[in-house]
Amino acid sequence: MNDYCYCVVQSINKELLGIREEVDVHRKNPRDIRDDFATSGEAMLGLESSLYKWEWLFDITAAHLVILLYSYLEKTLKYIFKWYMDKKLITINYRNRKPIINYWLYNILNTDDETFENSQPYTYRVLNEARRMRNNFAHDNLEGVDLNNSDYVYTERKCDPTFKLIDFINSISEILYNVEKVFSP
């Protein structure tokens, strides 16, 4: 999953940087593009349209990768929770079922929301922000941002998480490492 995320991000970045370069070159030296029968202005409109599309793709890709990783963690914790319950390795102590990922995680680790937040504040924050992005995507928009009841079509939509994708990957690794320790003797 890490390699997939890295490859997607690198590909999008490469395309975005390339189109930004083309726009900058054309702004510095406007010219008619005779091969395409386009004037300088038409060429710039086309480049700017392409730039806008790649910037939007960059934003939705960031949200999609977070959602992919969050779904992976959710599915994994669900499976492990069920397996641990079947093997009687854990008991239900944490009863709050919302969000469900916390229910599984806190019961596996035999902890609660406050204790988890105090012991792993960064992981707690990244996990909660990833959940918000996932929920916003599922219920509101492709970028995974909260629009505060504004009109989706006319609102500037910018995905700007407070964490990097690698931070989320590291948080997932840390969570799964701690979950695995429950099974280890």
Side-chain angles (χ1 to χ4, degrees), residues 23 26 31-33 38-49:
V23 168
H26 195 76
R31 63 200 177 287
D32 290 347
I33 302 174
T39 66
S40 176
E42 291 170 333
M44 183 54 104
L45 284 174
L47 288 170
E48 287 175 343
S49 174

Side-chain angles (χ1 to χ4, degrees), residues 32-91:
D32 290 347
I33 302 174
R34 303 231 185 267
D35 294 343
D36 295 331
F37 302 101
T39 66
S40 176
E42 291 170 333
M44 183 54 104
L45 284 174
L47 288 170
E48 287 175 343
S49 174
S50 190
L51 176 62
Y52 175 77
K53 289 174 189 172
W54 280 105
E55 286 174 340
W56 183 74
L57 188 58
F58 179 82
D59 283 343
I60 66 169
T61 299
H64 288 191
L65 292 176
V66 167
I67 292 159
L68 173 69
L69 290 167
Y70 190 87
S71 297
Y72 165 76
L73 178 63
E74 190 173 47
K75 186 79 167 179
T76 302
L77 286 177
K78 178 181 179 181
Y79 173 81
I80 292 170
F81 175 81
K82 183 183 177 333
W83 193 78
Y84 280 13
M85 287 296 291
D86 291 347
K87 297 289 183 187
K88 298 186 183 349
L89 296 171
I90 58 171
T91 57

